[in-house]
Amino acid sequence: MSTARSQAAQAGIGLGSAIAVAISWSLHQSILWAIVHGFFSWFYVIYYALTRPGGLSG
């Protein structure tokens, strides 16, 4: 395992959090919202996928 990946895993940064932060930043350009959405991680990712045109719900 690479050093960066190992350090990220030790810091508790998961894939869901990383995706949520990336989505949040692309929409809001706000550190505060990125932190909030990163906290909710997969819940925010699924919410985003269900509520956006072309998402999971069509």
Side-chain angles (χ1 to χ4, degrees), residues 27 47-58:
L27 290 175
Y47 166 79
Y48 179 82
L50 291 173
T51 59
R52 298 299 179 254
L56 295 177
S57 62

Side-chain angles (χ1 to χ4, degrees), residues 7-48:
Q7 290 174 348
Q10 289 175 355
I13 300 170
L15 179 62
S17 294
I19 294 171
V21 167
I23 291 170
S24 180
W25 181 259
S26 70
L27 290 175
H28 306 290
Q29 284 82 39
S30 169
I31 298 283
L32 180 60
W33 279 118
I35 291 170
V36 169
H37 294 143
F39 176 75
F40 289 113
S41 82
W42 283 112
F43 295 112
Y44 180 69
V45 173
I46 293 168
Y47 166 79
Y48 179 82

